[in-house]
């Protein structure tokens, strides 16, 4: 799984923090079920993520990673606690305003891309902008700009079935980035990719983090993927078990440290992390 690092991946990703955190969680709990049968999927998580951080969320299957991401995306409501995105408490946003909140603040990169087969790559990237009524000329400029940065300018007229998995995933990145969201959320974004495409996607994400200052929160099981991040939160039973930072370490050194942490987390998780 471990591979030779590239020059672009050697530096610690992320920019200096500026002002208030992009994301702040205060004692967030998400419980499922009722009295006799409660699952504490997220069990009192407090954390801050600064602008420009590239953070991974790891942990065994069932430790609460997706639930945490869904609460941050306001796809799931919290049982208690507060989630602030750029200072705004999203747990207090009315249901009917949530779609606007998501479109204006968040970008999503899904495991299976969620591209529409009947639209071209360019149309897939621009769809959210079309919905929000952005003038066509502005959309066109933004699509060309972001496609250029992600190296997919040549495939904008093609349909998803005509491009590779890695190109689809970069299209998904472009779509997540086009609104310049405050926060990009990704749940197992490399899950459906082969190792070469995974690596390309991770390098793309590290580069949008480094060069464009995008703030990314990514769920992953894979220590290789996590080693591209600047910080890793490890969940256990809905709580933050530990947190590690890459600081000045090379990606390879960080990868080894992540493996050590996962070993510490317990032998029983060896097959599922
Ligand atoms: N809608 C739901 N109803 C009831 N229980 C749920 C629901 N969604 C998740 N859970 C439970 O909450 C816990 C956390 O689930 P979650 O999907 O967040 O885990 P995860 O860390 O993302 O796991 P994986 O790595 O397998 O994707 C699990 O015990 C799961 O069974
Ligand atoms: Mg999950």
């Amino acid at each position: 799984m471990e591979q030779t690092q590239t020059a672009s991946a050697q530096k610690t990703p992320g920019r200096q923090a500026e002002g208030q955190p992009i994301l702040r969680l205060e004692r967030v709990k998400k419980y499922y079920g009722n009295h006799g049968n409660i699952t504490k999927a997220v069990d009192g998580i407090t954390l801050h993520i600064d602008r420009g951080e590239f953070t991974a969320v790891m942990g065994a299957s069932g430790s609460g990673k997706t639930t945490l991401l869904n609460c941050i995306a306001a796809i799931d409501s919290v049982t208690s606690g507060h989630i602030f995105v750029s200072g705004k408490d999203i747990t207090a946003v009315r249901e009917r305003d949530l779609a606007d909140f998501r479109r204006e603040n968040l970008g999503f990169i899904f495991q299976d891309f969620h591209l529409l087969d009947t639209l071209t790559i360019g149309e897939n990237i621009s769809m959210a902008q079309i919905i929000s009524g952005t003038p066509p000329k502005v959309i066109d400029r933004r699509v060309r700009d972001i496609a250029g940065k992600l190296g997919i300018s040549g495939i904008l007229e093609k349909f998803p079935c005509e491009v590779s998995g890695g190109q689809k995933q970069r299209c998904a990145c472009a779509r997540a980035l086009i609104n310049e969201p405050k926060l990009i959320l990704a749940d197992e974004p490399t899950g459906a990719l082969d190792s070469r495409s995974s690596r390309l996607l991770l390098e793309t994400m590290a580069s949008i983090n480094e060069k464009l200052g995008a703030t990314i929160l990514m769920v992953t099981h894979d220590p290789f993927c996590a080693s591209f991040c600047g910080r890793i939160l490890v969940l256990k039973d809905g709580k933050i078990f530990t947190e590690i930072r890459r600081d000045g370490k090379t990606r390879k050194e960080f990868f080894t440290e992540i493996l050590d942490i996962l070993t510490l987390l317990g032998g029983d998780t060896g097959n599922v992390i």
Side-chain angles (χ1 to χ4, degrees), residues 39-262:
T39 302
K40 297 181 176 181
V42 172
D43 196 15
I45 289 190
T46 293
L47 72 91
H48 293 191
I49 290 188
D50 285 321
R51 191 181 305 277
E53 283 198 85
F54 185 8
T55 307
V57 179
M58 302 192 78
S61 184
S63 58
K65 304 178 297 295
T66 295
T67 307
L68 181 69
L69 218 67
N70 287 347
C71 288
I72 294 168
I75 291 166
D76 259 353
S77 58
V78 301
T79 303
S80 65
H82 295 275
I83 299 174
F84 299 89
V85 174
S86 282
K88 186 181 172 79
D89 185 355
I90 63 162
T91 62
V93 173
R94 286 172 304 186
E95 189 67 38
R96 66 170 188 262
D97 296 329
L98 279 176
D100 285 345
F101 161 79
R102 282 191 211 104
R103 200 170 50 237
E104 285 161 17
N105 294 281
L106 304 177
F108 296 93
I109 303 174
F110 299 99
Q111 182 171 11
D112 49 1
F113 319 127
H114 287 209
L115 298 182
L116 296 179
D117 294 337
T118 52
L119 300 184
T120 64
I121 294 294
E123 288 163 345
N124 266 286
I125 294 171
S126 56
M127 199 169 50
Q129 300 266 292
I130 294 168
I131 293 169
S132 59
T134 308
K137 270 190 178 168
V138 177
I139 297 180
D140 194 53
R141 183 167 43 75
R142 286 187 186 163
V143 170
R144 287 185 189 289
D145 184 42
I146 197 75
K149 283 176 178 143
L150 294 177
I152 49 172
S153 303
I155 58 160
L156 291 176
E157 308 303 326
K158 293 193 171 185
F159 288 89
C161 63
E162 300 172 314
V163 306
S164 73
Q167 288 170 327
K168 276 186 209 157
Q169 194 54 284
R170 275 181 279 157
C171 167
C173 278
R175 187 189 47 194
L177 279 169
I178 192 157
N179 287 353
E180 298 190 341
K182 296 196 174 75
L183 179 63
I184 295 170
L185 300 172
D187 194 352
E188 303 277 1
T190 61
L193 298 178
D194 60 35
S195 63
R196 186 175 163 276
S197 299
S198 292
R199 190 184 181 92
L200 270 176
L201 176 68
L202 264 319
E203 286 175 356
T204 304
M205 290 174 76
S207 141
I208 59 181
N209 164 250
E210 226 172 293
K211 297 198 180 116
L212 309 182
T215 311
I216 307 172
L217 185 63
M218 171 178 78
V219 167
T220 182
H221 279 105
D222 185 345
F224 173 70
C225 295
S227 68
F228 284 80
C229 297
R231 176 185 179 194
I232 296 175
L233 303 167
V234 184
L235 301 193
K236 186 177 185 184
D237 301 331
K239 295 185 165 70
I240 296 180
F241 172 72
T242 191
E243 177 185 330
I244 53 171
R245 288 182 186 264
R246 183 159 147 193
D247 294 327
K249 284 161 242 162
T250 64
R251 201 192 53 70
K252 216 170 178 182
E253 287 165 349
F254 197 37
F255 174 79
T256 309
E257 187 178 356
I258 297 164
L259 286 183
D260 290 346
I261 292 283
L262 297 183

